[in-house]
Amino acid sequence: MATLLKPKAGAKEPINVRRALSLKMTVTARQMHKRFDQSVADIGVTRSQWTLIAVVSRHPGVTQREVAETLEMSEASVGRLIDRLCSDGMLVRQPKEDDRRAHCIHLTDAASTLLDKISGVAMIHEEAIFAGFDADDIARLETYLDRIAVNIAAMK
């Protein structure tokens, strides 16, 4: 990857360092997703499914609208995915106490078991991805990524 992201010798226009970093982050994120998706496919779950399950595990009782906002998906797409995961026994919908039109989404025991398997895969990937990083490196990287996220959010 690194050689493809560097300008070719003799290129007419040097690549801006910020642009090169942006491209590198984009490619790296895609590679991370691809490798992780390949690993969890053996468990029988797709990226859409595991990300939705992860959101619900972190925010039990979340609504479909909140899931859609978090995952930056349409409510209709999230609704279909929730329907599928409910029929697979991974999620349950419960009426929201303060709004009859909305439903709270909760994990089932089956989803919790699946989440444990996914977490195991994630730990293996994290060890490989962050090999050679010490705690200070990780803390600095987190700070930088947080700052980038804030800057992106401010662009809206």
Side-chain angles (χ1 to χ4, degrees), residues 35-144:
R35 300 294 185 278
F36 190 77
D37 289 347
Q38 289 169 340
S39 296
V40 295
D42 295 339
I43 299 171
V45 66
T46 67
R47 180 185 307 174
S48 297
Q49 292 170 330
W50 71 255
T51 54
L52 194 148
I53 289 169
V55 168
V56 175
S57 75
R58 288 185 176 100
H59 305 281
V62 69
T63 65
Q64 180 174 314
R65 174 172 285 143
E66 292 165 334
V67 172
E69 289 171 4
T70 300
L71 297 179
E72 296 183 348
M73 295 173 64
S74 73
E75 282 189 59
S77 294
V78 168
R80 287 189 297 273
L81 188 54
I82 291 170
D83 288 343
R84 169 73 191 268
L85 290 169
C86 284
S87 69
D88 289 347
M90 299 289 160
L91 300 177
V92 292
R93 283 188 172 105
Q94 296 174 347
K96 191 168 184 202
E97 291 180 14
D98 60 344
D99 184 352
R100 287 188 216 158
R101 298 167 296 163
H103 287 84
C104 298
I105 313 299
H106 295 274
L107 297 182
T108 64
D109 290 341
S112 295
T113 301
L114 178 65
L115 197 55
D116 289 342
K117 291 178 185 177
I118 294 168
S119 293
V121 172
M123 286 175 53
I124 292 166
H125 278 257
E126 290 157 5
E127 286 178 22
I129 290 167
F130 296 108
F133 285 75
D134 64 26
D136 290 338
D137 294 333
I138 299 292
R140 278 191 301 278
L141 179 58
E142 183 177 24
T143 299
Y144 299 147

